[in-house]
Amino acid sequence: MAFVNGVAANSPNTFTILGCGTLGSAILFGLLASSAEERSKKVEKGGQEADLPNGFEHEDIQKPSRILACVRTEQSAEHLRKRLPTSEHALPVKVIRGDNVGAVQAADTVLLGCQPQDLDSCLGAPGMERALRGKLLISILAGVTIPQIEQVFARGETRATAKTNGHVTTPGDGRTTSIIRAMPNTASFVRASTTVITACSIATPANLRLVDWLFTSIGTVTHITAAQFDACTALCGSTPAFFALFIESLLDGAVALGLKRSEAQVMAAQTMKGAATLMLAGEQPDALKEKVATPGGSTIQGLLELERKALRGVVADALIRCTAAASTLGSKQT
């Protein structure tokens, strides 16, 4: 039996995360929370399988049985180990440092979560392309397209590589690496992410079911085209920071008015959550605004001030700038 850092390399349904930074860690802990909940429900049902998320009740999902989490430094490894749950229902996790290729060899599915500028050094490592053959690679790298990932494989190997949209085939082997792009956000940590996905042309139904299950377990999933990906990266991946800035601005105003910042944060965040819940239930933004801004009331005065300061245009321009920046991230590889 082969081992990688003391872990059997042929354990079934191994999920490897290459890069446990902010987003990779958020996905990891969101999955662990979802898995623990599912396993706990299974115990409560006397060993019967827990219900899958809506839309997956009758699907044959090859769910991960363990996770290999890859980091660069021992400091990162120790930090991650200290945060791992100790619940008996938790999915087994092995933290790996300095052996990305070995961790990929041991995997069935790989989540690519390094920084976009580290794409070449991560996937171009000796043996990485071979280790990925026949496996599903899910990229969460902002601005990095499937063809760019294929190009890294081609540059990293001296032999000829036949390429098609969404997979890589090495002559004489016949196995393919299916590549799917996904963009979740940091709310994965609390299983409230919004994830967009674009599927390659050769992705199998089993690939798609697994990816949908994976990200549905930590939030919602929307399938989009490759051309829409940069805009959705900005809209779904970056706007949590926009919303945080808006909340922070409200807190400054609240403190100036005599409120405690900690109490104001709870009130403002809950109010934003409530408004979002109403819109997710079908309320249109303009209709919600009209309901709150009653004639002669105080809300309309605040709205007029925001309009005078061109908030609408500033926010729209910020999203457009963010999208433009996202489209260049894949070109900054080292």
Side-chain angles (χ1 to χ4, degrees):
M1 180 181 292
F3 287 82
V4 52
N5 280 8
V7 181
N10 59 349
S11 297
N13 302 332
T14 296
F15 184 68
T16 290
I17 302 177
L18 289 179
C20 290
T22 300
L23 190 51
S25 294
I27 294 171
L28 168 62
F29 287 103
L31 282 175
L32 291 177
S34 177
S35 172
E37 181 181 284
E38 186 176 321
R39 290 179 173 212
S40 178
K41 289 181 179 178
K42 183 177 179 179
V43 171
E44 292 174 1
K45 290 187 174 184
Q48 296 181 8
E49 287 294 333
D51 295 333
L52 291 173
N54 290 338
F56 297 96
E57 289 84 354
H58 305 294
E59 301 289 7
D60 180 22
I61 306 296
Q62 298 299 311
K63 294 174 285 187
S65 61
R66 65 163 183 170
I67 297 176
L68 302 182
C70 298
V71 297
R72 279 184 173 181
T73 67
E74 185 58 35
Q75 181 180 8
S76 296
E78 283 302 313
H79 178 66
L80 190 59
R81 290 189 189 104
K82 290 178 181 178
R83 297 171 62 199
L84 291 175
T86 57
S87 167
E88 61 179 326
H89 303 304
L91 196 66
V93 178
K94 179 75 173 181
V95 180
I96 306 293
R97 183 182 70 84
D99 191 13
N100 285 356
V101 173
V104 170
Q105 288 173 338
D108 299 280
T109 303
V110 177
L111 182 78
L112 181 61
C114 65
Q115 293 297 317
Q117 61 267 28
D118 295 331
L119 176 65
D120 273 326
S121 59
C122 185
L123 291 190
M128 182 62 79
E129 186 272 335
R130 180 180 293 273
L132 279 164
R133 292 183 205 170
K135 298 172 182 178
L136 172 62
L137 177 65
I138 306 168
S139 171
I140 58 170
L141 306 191
V144 176
T145 65
I146 288 172
Q148 286 174 315
I149 293 175
E150 292 178 326
Q151 290 168 13
V152 172
F153 286 137
R155 289 195 298 268
E157 299 292 335
T158 56
R159 61 186 177 275
T161 301
K163 299 176 291 179
T164 61
N165 182 33
H167 73 289
V168 177
T169 305
T170 301
D173 186 313
R175 291 181 297 164
T176 60
T177 301
S178 294
I179 306 171
I180 294 179
R181 289 185 71 189
M183 179 49 60
N185 61 39
T186 54
S188 301
F189 188 85
V190 291
R191 298 167 60 192
S193 175
T194 299
T195 302
V196 291
I197 293 171
T198 184
C200 60
S201 59
I202 56 88
T204 67
N207 290 154
L208 295 174
R209 286 197 299 270
L210 176 60
V211 173
D212 280 351
W213 170 84
L214 173 69
F215 290 106
T216 299
S217 69
I218 55 174
T220 63
V221 170
T222 303
H223 286 260
I224 60 173
T225 66
Q228 297 171 317
F229 216 89
D230 290 332
C232 290
T233 293
L235 184 61
C236 300
S238 299
T239 52
F242 291 15
F243 300 146
L245 178 61
F246 190 79
I247 289 285
E248 194 174 42
S249 302
L250 291 174
L251 300 188
D252 288 343
V255 171
L257 292 169
L259 299 181
K260 292 183 179 179
R261 184 173 291 271
S262 58
E263 294 177 351
Q265 178 170 323
V266 173
M267 289 185 277
Q270 179 60 40
T271 301
M272 179 176 281
K273 179 181 179 181
T277 301
L278 285 170
M279 286 184 276
L280 287 171
E283 188 86 70
Q284 292 300 309
D286 59 340
L288 177 57
K289 184 182 68 173
E290 290 300 317
K291 285 182 178 179
V292 181
T294 55
S298 58
T299 301
I300 190 61
Q301 296 300 322
L303 288 173
L304 287 173
E305 183 64 16
L306 292 174
E307 293 289 5
R308 279 192 289 268
K309 298 297 173 57
L311 176 71
R312 187 188 303 267
V314 168
V315 172
D317 286 346
L319 186 67
I320 294 168
R321 290 281 296 272
C322 190
T323 299
S327 69
T328 68
L329 292 176
S331 63
K332 296 179 180 179
Q333 302 164 33
T334 58

